[in-house]
Amino acid sequence: MTTAREAVAAAREAVTAPRALGLARTGRIADTLACTAYLVASLVLYRGLWAGGPAGRYLVDSGQDQHQWEWFFAVTARAVAHGENPLTTTLQNHPDGVNLMANTSMPGLSIPLAPITWLFGPAATWAIVLTGGLAATAAAWYYLISRHLVVSRPAAALGGAFCAFAPPMVSHANAHPNLAVLFVLPLIIDRLIRLAAGLRPIRDGILLGLLTTYQIFLGEEALLLASTGIALFALTYACVAPAAARAALRPLARGLPIGVALCGVLIAYPLWWQFTGPQSYTNLLHGPAGNDLAALTAYADRSLAGDIDVSARLSMNRTEENAFFGWPLLILAGAIAAALWRRALTKALVGVLVGAALCSLGPEIILDGEPTGISGPWRWFGQLPLYESVLESRFTMVCVPVLGILLALAAQAVRDAGDRRLWLSWCVAALQALLPLLPQPLASAPREPTPAFFADGTWRRFTGPDRAIVAVPLPDPSDARALGWQVDAGLGFPLAEGYFVGPFGPDRLGGYGAVTRPTSQLLREVRDGGAVPEVTEDERAQARADLAYWRADAVVLGPHANREALRATLDRLLGPGVPIDGVWLWDVRAGGAARAG
C-alpha cells in the first residue's frame, strides 16, 4: 500500500521528470512542431474569415454574435484610448447603458489587443482572438499533457489537438470566444498539480491566483465549468487513491489560500461592479437546455461525418452543438478506460466524464426528442447559485479534455507496449473514432456593406453630443447589424436598445437585449411580419415619448427585407422621412428637418 511519503515523492517526480525531458533538444523541436501544426489547423478552420481580409467577411453560423463581439472589442478599445471605465458604457441601450463586466466582453484580451483594434479594426481583433486563441488552447493542453501525464510528444500532441478541435469546441468557435479560447485553464490545472506536489507552494499559490484572476477576465462560465470538473476529479481521486490525496492536502492548504486571497483582492471591484453596479442583474434564467441523449453519439454539423438535419434536430443551434462525439469515440474511450482501469488517474477521469455528461442532460433526460420521464442530476444541481445561469448542455465541454487525456494516455500505453500488432490496432481504432470528427472550415460569407450614411460620416449632421440615433430595425439578439454600423461610424453616437445581457423587471433577472418600449415593439412586429399597421394618435404620442426617453436626434432606417413596410410605418408615426446616403432619415430634433443636400 502506498504511503503518504511515497505518494509525495511520486507526485514530485511526475512534476520534475517530464520538465527535464522538455529541456531536451528533441523535446523543444517536438513542441515547436506541435504548436505550429495547431496554428496551421486553426488557420485552415478560419480560412474563410481571413480570405480577402476579416473586415469583409462574416462567419455565417455566428448569427448576430460576431456583430456583438466586434462591438465589445471596439468599445473596450475606445475606453482604453479615452481613459474611460472599460466595465460600462452608454453607447448601447442609451441612456441606461450596458454593464460590460456582466457581459462577455472578455477584457483579458480586448484590453491588451486594443492597439490591434485601433490600427486594423475590431474585425481583425475578432479573427486574431479566434484563430490564435484556439491554437493557444491546443498548445496549452499539449503542455499540460506532455509535462505531467505522458512522455511521448506525439501522444501529447494528439491529446492537445482533440482538446481544442473537438466538435463542441468547433461549434463555439463560430461565435463564442469566451468558450473556445481556453488556454489559461490548462495552466491553472498545471499550477494545481505543482501545488499538490509541494515543491514551491507559496510561489505556485501566487501564480494560481494570478491565472485565476486572468481567466475571470476571459470567461467566468468557462472557469465555473472547469472548476466543477476539477472538483469532480478531486473527489473521485480521493476515493480511489486516499493516500495520495492526503499527501497533497498539506501543500494545497499552504498554497490555495494564498491564491484565493490574491484573486479575491484583484477581482473584488470588477465583481462588485458586475453584481451590483449599473445595469447589473441577479441571474440569467433560461428554460431546460440539456443535451438530447442521442446527441452524445451523433455527429456535429461541421464534422466530416456531420449531418445538418440530425445536428439541427438534436441541438439548440449551430453554436451550441455541445456533444456530438460519435459512437466510435465513446466506444474507444470505454475500451481505453477498461485497459487502463488499474490506474487511479483513469478512474478519476472516468468519474469526471460520467458526472459531466449526466449533468449535461438537463433536469429530464430526453432521447431523440422524446422525454423519458427520468430525472437527471441537473434537476437539483441546477438550483445552486451561479449554476442556474449556465446552459447545462455545455457541461459536455468538461468531457472534451478528459477524452483528450484518455487518448494521450492510450497512445503512450501502446507505445510503451512495443507490440506492432497492438500499435496497428490502435491506429485503426483511433482513425475510425477521430476521422469522422475532423472539422470542416467554418462557413463564411461577404459582409453586408455599411450604409454610406454611417460609413461616410453623414450622421454627424443630424445628432449632437450624448444624443442617440434610433437605428431601425432596432438592434436586438435577432438583428444586431446596427452595432456594426455604429462601429464603422467610429462609435460617434449612442444607440437606442441593443444586443447584450441586462436586467428585466423588478427582480432584475438577466435577459438578452433591452427592455423594449412600445414603439420598438411596434417596429419589431412590422420587421418580422411585414404588415403596415394602422397608427393611432396615442401611438404617435408614445413614439414622441420613447424618442425623448432615448434622447434621440434621428431615426434611421437601414437595409431590410421589409424596408418598405417599416418606412410606411415610420412615416405614419413621425411624418415623411427623406432618403439620404443609402438610408431613410427622420430628423426628430426640436424643429429639425432632414435635408438630403
Side-chain angles (χ1 to χ4, degrees), residues 167-168 290-300 310-311 313-316 320-327 330 360-361 366-369 393 396 437:
N291 281 317
D292 190 306
L293 188 60
L296 296 176
T297 58
Y299 291 108
V310 172
S311 59
R313 177 168 53 84
L314 298 177
S315 64
M316 295 174 61
E320 293 292 344
E321 295 177 353
N322 291 313
F324 297 92
F325 297 116
W327 272 114
L330 296 185
S360 80
L361 299 178
I366 307 295
L367 177 59
D368 207 17
S393 65
T396 35
L437 300 180

Side-chain angles (χ1 to χ4, degrees), residues 18-31:
R19 185 181 179 189
L21 279 171
L23 296 176
R25 181 172 181 271
T26 54
R28 292 197 299 270
I29 293 173
D31 295 347

Side-chain angles (χ1 to χ4, degrees), residues 78-98:
R78 181 183 185 275
V80 173
H82 291 82
E84 299 170 349
N85 184 355
L87 305 181
T88 187
T89 184
T90 56
L91 285 170
Q92 199 177 160
N93 194 37
H94 193 261
D96 297 325
V98 176

Side-chain angles (χ1 to χ4, degrees), residues 25 30 54 150 156 212 252 293 317 335 337 366 373 375 430 482 492 535 543 545 552-553 575 588 592:
R25 181 172 181 271
V150 300
T212 305
L252 286 171
L293 188 60
N317 54 60
I366 307 295
S375 296
V535 174
D553 276 352
V588 295

Side-chain angles (χ1 to χ4, degrees), residues 93 96 99 125 161 166 218 234 255 259 294 374 416 439 448-449 500 544 546 553 563:
N93 194 37
D96 297 325
N99 188 324
T125 305
L218 293 178
I374 302 173
D416 293 342
E448 292 183 5
F500 59 95
R544 291 192 293 270
D546 291 340
D553 276 352
R563 184 174 184 173

Side-chain angles (χ1 to χ4, degrees), residues 161-377:
F162 185 86
C163 290
F165 297 99
M169 294 291 292
V170 172
S171 174
H172 287 286
N174 275 295
H176 304 148
N178 59 312
L179 293 170
V181 181
L182 306 177
F183 62 89
V184 173
L185 296 179
L187 304 182
I188 289 175
I189 297 172
D190 166 70
R191 205 48 52 181
L192 284 170
I193 294 172
R194 294 176 185 277
L195 258 180
L199 296 175
R200 297 179 179 177
I202 295 176
R203 185 198 67 168
D204 290 332
I206 292 173
L207 291 175
L208 178 63
L210 293 174
L211 288 168
T212 305
T213 300
Y214 186 49
Q215 178 57 46
I216 289 172
F217 287 119
L218 293 178
E220 295 172 57
E221 184 176 358
L223 180 60
L224 180 63
L225 293 173
S227 299
T228 306
I230 292 169
L232 283 171
F233 180 89
L235 288 172
T236 310
Y237 195 80
C239 292
V240 300
R246 285 195 301 270
L249 279 178
R250 180 174 295 180
L252 286 171
R254 292 181 61 192
L256 277 179
I258 295 172
V260 171
L262 178 60
C263 179
V265 170
L266 295 175
I267 204 66
Y269 177 75
L271 287 184
W272 173 85
W273 188 278
Q274 174 180 343
F275 291 107
T276 65
Q279 290 298 104
S280 59
Y281 52 89
T282 52
N283 50 56
L284 183 60
L285 295 183
H286 53 80
N291 281 317
D292 190 306
L293 188 60
L296 296 176
T297 58
Y299 291 108
D301 173 37
R302 299 309 301 175
S303 292
L304 194 61
D307 185 324
I308 187 172
D309 294 328
V310 172
S311 59
R313 177 168 53 84
L314 298 177
S315 64
M316 295 174 61
N317 54 60
R318 290 183 179 178
T319 67
E320 293 292 344
E321 295 177 353
N322 291 313
F324 297 92
F325 297 116
W327 272 114
L329 177 61
L330 296 185
I331 293 173
L332 179 60
I336 294 170
L340 305 179
W341 188 249
R342 295 182 62 184
R343 302 185 186 183
L345 173 62
T346 304
K347 295 175 183 176
L349 290 172
V350 171
V352 177
L353 190 67
V354 173
L358 287 175
C359 284
S360 80
L361 299 178
E364 182 182 2
I365 295 176
I366 307 295
L367 177 59
D368 207 17
E370 297 296 329
T372 64
I374 302 173
S375 296

